[in-house]
Structure formats: structure tokens, C-alpha cells
């Protein structure tokens, strides 16, 4: 198994300075490491007006933006969770964009918590309703969610990354109850609804049908990239639900002769449409930073994109509202077009949550779903019982945040 550390070590190292000499460098904080950080550095080097210094704040980026010190505050931050825009302590430090770049209305609304004030622009977006498989495998693919409760091939799930489990939950809930999904970020009482309980039970049933107890135990130690390798390199599993940025891992580490294919996450019924869960990274200019920060955000996310950004998109693993779908590799052009159009799309729920349910490994929604996964796959509890326990914990946790 290729561990995360070995995976990142296999990618060429990159320095943290970009650009040419000039005045004080523009400081840009990001959350990425490894290949994403290296690719972003190549983009930042193209900025023609200032030297740019890029540093990875990792999981501490929220704390960095909440912090009182202006001496170490970045001028620009690229944040991975939209919910951070809704935290008063962070939102107060964001400088609204006076002349924001043109982006589709769906995406613009997401970064405008207050009408008329655009707080950021989308640098990168993600399609989170894809299921990947080997094209020549002859697998009987599930046409509906209920059909997936019967075996349709072995699942691979990187359950050590809690966001992969929350992506599963969000797709199942959005497919089953599109009316309930949008309110969960702000209405704590909805966590106790029958719709949430039913989605949890269906999710547990799908996981249980797709994995043995031993496979479930192993999945708890797998991260995102390992789950991709299980399907396309080691061929020990048949299906993996993963965003579009699975593509670079497949392209780099897939076994010889293996062709990747994907389908949309199944709908609740043959008459219903499939869910579309989306995510992404938002670029922000900060009040405590340099006045030129907004110009950098506009350059980074506008239609006149740097050559290095287009090259990144052309290799796959990078989709954005300001990059035409035809720039992407052929296998990703369909998902790229779906993201730009964003018909009936809903933003990643766990990335919108604040308070006790906010995502993070070992806490909140991610922890509760990890325990549900364990109950369904490892201890083989009845899906209804496992779902009832998870629903009760979700309600109790949501009430703590509302108190």
C-alpha cells in the first residue's frame, strides 16, 4: 500500500517563494501540501506585479485567520471550507472584492453571505458526485440507490479521511431528500428528521453490502489516494466514490492497460435526477493584508488565466468556474461542464457546517459517520440500529451548537 507520506514524497519538492524581486512579497496562505502546493507555486510565479510568497497553513488555516496578530497574517488566503466565511471572527477580517471577477451566479451567491458584498472568488471547484471504476470490468452498475443495497462489486473507501464518508452521506441525503439537505447547515432540528434517519440507514446498507468485515477494518486505515489505488493499481476493489481530483492519482499510479471510467452517483429512483454535490477552494483578500491583495485574487480567479493554471487544468485534477471544460482531459469534460452549469447543485454540507458538527477528523459529523461506517461494515450491526444510534448523536451534537 502506498502511504500518504510516500505518496507526497514521490512528488518533486518545491520551495515556498514565487515571483521576482520587488517590494515586500505578497503573502498567500493555502491549505495544500504535496502536488497541489507545487502546482500552485508555478501559478503564483506568473503574477506580474509583485513577488509572491506562498506558505501552507494546513489544518491550522482557520486558526491563522481568527488570530489577533497582524504581523503573521497573510494578505491572501485560499480556504477549503465555505463555512469559514460564515464564522464572525473570520468574516470580519475579509475585505470584500470591489470588482470581483465574473463567475457563474450559483458560485457567486455562495461567497456573498450578505447580498451585494462578494467576499471571495472561486479558485478551484470539485465534483463530488462521481463513482469511479475500471472501464473493462463488466460490472453491473447500480441504477438507483436502493439497487446499491444489493452487491454491485466491492467498494473502496478511504474512511481514514472523514470527508470521504461525509461525501457519501451528502449524496445519499441529497438524492433521497433534496428539500431537507439545504437546511441542515442552519436548522438544528432538521437533524432529527425522518429523512436524515432514512438516509443514514440506506447509507449503512450500501456500505454493508459492498464490504466484508475485514475490508471495513482495512478501510478505516485508508486515506483518499489509497482508496483510488485499490481500484486502479492493486485491483482489490471495484468501485470508489471520489471527486474529480481522483484523476491525477489514476493517471500516475494506475496499472498498465487499466482505463478509468465514472458514473454519476445514483438517484433515489429511476424517475428522479442524480445528486450533484460540489465543493471548492475560495480565494480571499484580508483586511490586515496589503491593499494589492484584491488585485491578486482577481488575477488568480479571472478569465485571463495564467498559462500555468491552464496547464494544470489540462492535466486533470483542477476544475474552476473560469476555465472552459474543453481544457480538461476528455474524461473530465462532462463533470467540468456540470460544475459550471451547476443545475440543482448543492454545496458540500460538511464544509458549510460551523460549531460542534463542523468537519474535521476525529470530531463532529466526520466522527459520527466514521462510527456509523464501523458499525455497518466491521461489527455488522443491522443498518436500522446503526443509523438510529448515529441519528441520535447527530441530534445531540447539533443541539449543543444551537444552545
Amino acid at each position: 500500500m502506498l502511504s500518504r507520506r510516500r505518496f507526497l514524497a514521490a512528488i518533486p519538492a518545491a520551495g515556498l517563494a514565487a515571483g521576482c524581486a520587488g517590494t515586500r512579497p505578497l503573502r498567500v496562505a493555502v491549505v495544500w501540501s504535496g502536488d497541489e502546493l507545487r502546482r500552485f507555486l508555478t501559478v503564483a510565479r506568473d503574477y506580474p506585479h509583485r513577488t509572491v510568497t506562498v506558505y501552507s497553513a494546513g489544518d491550522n488555516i482557520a486558526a491563522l485567520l481568527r488570530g489577533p496578530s497582524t504581523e503573521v497574517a497573510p494578505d491572501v488566503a485560499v480556504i477549503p471550507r465555505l463555512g469559514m466565511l460564515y464564522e464572525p471572527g473570520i468574516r470580519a477580517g475579509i475585505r470584500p472584492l470591489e470588482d470581483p471577477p465574473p463567475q457563474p451566479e450559483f458560485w457567486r451567491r455562495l461567497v456573498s453571505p450578505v447580498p451585494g458584498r462578494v467576499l471571495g472568488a472561486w479558485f478551484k471547484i470539485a465534483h463530488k458526485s462521481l463513482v469511479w471504476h475500471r472501464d473493462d470490468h463488466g460490472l453491473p452498475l447500480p441504477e438507483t440507490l436502493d439497487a446499491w443495497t444489493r452487491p454491485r462489486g466491492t467498494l473502496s473507501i478511504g474512511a481514514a479521511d472523514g470527508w470521504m464518508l461525509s461525501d457519501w452521506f451528502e449524496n445519499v441525503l441529497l438524492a433521497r431528500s433534496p428539500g431537507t439537505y439545504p437546511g441542515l447547515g442552519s436548522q438544528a432540528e432538521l437533524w432529527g428528521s425522518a429523512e436524515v434517519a432514512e438516509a443514514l440507514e440506506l447509507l449503512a446498507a450500501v456500505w454493508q453490502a459492498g464490504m466484508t468485515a475485514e475490508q471495513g477494518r482495512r478501510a478505516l486505515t485508508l486515506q483518499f489516494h489509497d482508496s483510488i489505488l485499490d481500484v486502479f493499481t492493486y485491483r482489490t476493489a471495484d468501485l470508489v466514490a471520489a471527486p474529480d481530483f481522483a484523476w491525477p492519482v489514476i493517471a500516475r499510479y494506475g496499472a498498465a492497460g487499466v482505463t478509468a471510467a465514472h458514473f454519476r452517483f445514483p438517484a433515489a429512483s429511476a424517475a428522479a435526477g442524480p445528486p450533484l454535490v460540489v465543493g471548492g477552494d475560495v480565494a480571499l483578500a484580508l483586511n490586515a493584508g496589503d491593499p494589492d491583495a484584491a488585485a491578486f485574487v482577481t488575477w488568480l480567479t479571472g478569465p485571463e488565466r495564467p498559462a500555468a493554471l491552464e496547464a494544470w487544468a489540462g492535466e486533470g485534477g483542477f476544475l474552476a468556474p473560469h476555465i472552459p471544460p474543453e481544457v480538461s482531459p476528455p474524461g473530465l469534460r462532462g463533470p467540468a461542464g456540470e460544475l459550471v452549469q451547476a443545475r440543482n447543485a448543492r454545496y458540500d454540507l460538511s464544509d458549510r457546517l460551523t460549531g460542534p458538527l463542523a468537519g474535521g477528523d476525529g470530531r463532529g459529523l466526520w466522527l459520527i459517520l466514521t462510527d456509523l461506517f464501523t458499525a455497518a461494515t466491521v461489527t455488522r450491526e443491522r443498518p436500522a440500529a446503526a443509523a438510529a444510534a448515529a441519528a441520535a448523536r447527530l441530534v445531540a451534537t447539533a443541539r449543543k451548537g444551537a444552545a
Side-chain angles (χ1 to χ4, degrees), residues 30 32 36 39-41 43-44 77-79 103 107 111 120-126 280-284 296-297 299-302 306 309 312 318-323:
V30 300
W32 314 303
E36 284 182 298
R39 298 306 297 254
F40 185 78
L41 284 162
V43 173
V78 185
I79 61 170
Q103 295 194 335
W107 296 98
V111 292
W122 293 94
F123 169 66
K124 185 178 182 183
I125 56 179
D281 300 329
V282 180
L284 312 170
F296 179 81
V297 169
W299 172 83
L300 185 66
T301 59
L309 195 57
W312 187 356
F318 183 94
L319 302 179
H322 54 290
I323 296 181

Side-chain angles (χ1 to χ4, degrees), residues 154-181:
T154 301
L155 296 175
S156 180
I157 299 177
D161 283 330
W163 63 265
M164 293 200 77
L165 299 180
S166 67
D167 282 1
W168 268 94
F169 169 66
E170 288 153 7
N171 275 288
V172 170
L173 179 63
L174 184 56
R176 287 293 298 263
S177 184
T180 303
Y181 184 99

Side-chain angles (χ1 to χ4, degrees), residues 16 47 149 242 339 350 370:
L16 294 185
Y47 188 55
T149 62
L339 286 183
S350 68
T370 300

Side-chain angles (χ1 to χ4, degrees), residues 28-32 37 54-65 74 78:
V28 180
V30 300
V31 71
W32 314 303
L37 177 59
V54 179
Y55 60 96
S56 177
D59 293 337
N60 296 318
I61 195 164
L64 177 68
L65 299 185
V78 185

Side-chain angles (χ1 to χ4, degrees), residues 7 43 96 109 149 151 173 191 235 243 245 251 257 276 291 296 302 316 352 362:
F7 174 77
V43 173
R109 285 198 310 269
T149 62
L173 179 63
W191 288 100
R235 298 187 242 197
F245 50 83
L276 177 54
F296 179 81
R352 293 195 72 158

